[in-house]
Amino acid sequence: TDKKAVHKLGDFLLENLIRFGDAMIEAGADVICIADPSATGELIGRKSFDAHALPYINQMAEHFRNRGGTPVIVHICGDVRSLGTTLSGISAQAISIDSLVSIKTLRELAPSRLSMGNVSTYMLEKSAPEAITKRGKRCLESGADILAPACGISPITPIRNIRGLAMAVASTDLVGSAQ
């Protein structure tokens, strides 16, 4: 309810996240991923996202792009559908989404951004590698430009399951056909 305090905190976080990102780039990072688990429309809504998340996300993305062209991915957890076409206003090159939302939906909401995702991390941990490969292929066939887990990978995810996800890319005719 205190918008001034929210923006003061946002400015503080922005400054420190940029410092952290710059340090990662100096250490050799090829890409910066901005993970925002709280920006989802179901938690803060589109109006608050537009006012309190999008400006800071874009300032970070633009900083890293202007700092030598470092690509930026923005990951937003949860159901992003209520954010609508606001997702097109994200300055990052790619948007990563949760498995709750289809790649097709993301491509409709942000057609000018690369789509990334969205194999369930629970599935990645618990399912057989063959099922993961099949799901990964479906993501690619649905238009995913970058096949990836829908969120952070559990540290107990079996390596064979991660290889199953890689097999989806290796065995798909769509490899190299990203727009």
Side-chain angles (χ1 to χ4, degrees):
T1 59
D2 186 345
K3 292 178 183 176
K4 187 176 179 180
V6 169
H7 284 293
K8 185 176 179 181
L9 177 60
D11 291 339
F12 172 80
L13 294 171
L14 176 67
E15 178 183 334
N16 286 285
L17 289 170
I18 285 175
R19 283 185 191 163
F20 181 59
D22 284 345
M24 291 191 312
I25 292 167
E26 288 168 18
D30 296 316
V31 65
I32 296 293
C33 182
I34 301 168
D36 198 332
S38 60
T40 181
E42 60 195 353
L43 289 179
I44 67 170
R46 184 176 182 161
K47 185 176 177 183
S48 288
F49 178 84
D50 288 348
H52 303 291
L54 186 61
Y56 297 105
I57 290 169
N58 283 347
Q59 286 179 62
M60 280 187 279
E62 290 162 15
H63 170 84
F64 298 123
R65 184 174 36 256
N66 293 334
R67 191 187 185 277
T70 302
V72 176
I73 298 165
V74 171
H75 174 80
I76 301 177
C77 291
D79 189 345
V80 296
R81 287 177 287 200
S82 66
L83 297 176
T85 56
T86 290
L87 292 177
S88 286
I90 292 176
S91 293
Q93 288 87 341
I95 299 175
S96 166
I97 57 167
D98 202 317
S99 58
L100 299 170
V101 180
S102 73
I103 290 292
K104 181 181 176 195
T105 298
L106 174 60
R107 294 190 68 74
E108 291 168 0
L109 297 175
S112 62
R113 302 291 175 259
L114 295 174
S115 59
M116 181 172 165
N118 67 341
V119 176
S120 162
T121 52
Y122 180 80
M123 178 185 200
L124 196 56
E125 179 186 337
K126 301 290 185 184
S127 294
E130 299 78 22
I132 294 164
T133 300
K134 186 176 180 179
R135 173 67 181 126
K137 285 181 179 182
R138 281 199 311 268
C139 284
L140 290 168
E141 289 164 357
S142 295
D145 295 303
I146 305 168
L147 182 62
C151 203
I153 300 173
S154 166
I156 61 172
T157 299
I159 295 295
R160 68 182 177 277
N161 289 7
I162 296 170
R163 288 185 181 123
L165 189 58
M167 285 303 300
V169 176
S171 64
T172 300
D173 292 336
L174 301 172
V175 174
S177 66
Q179 299 169 351

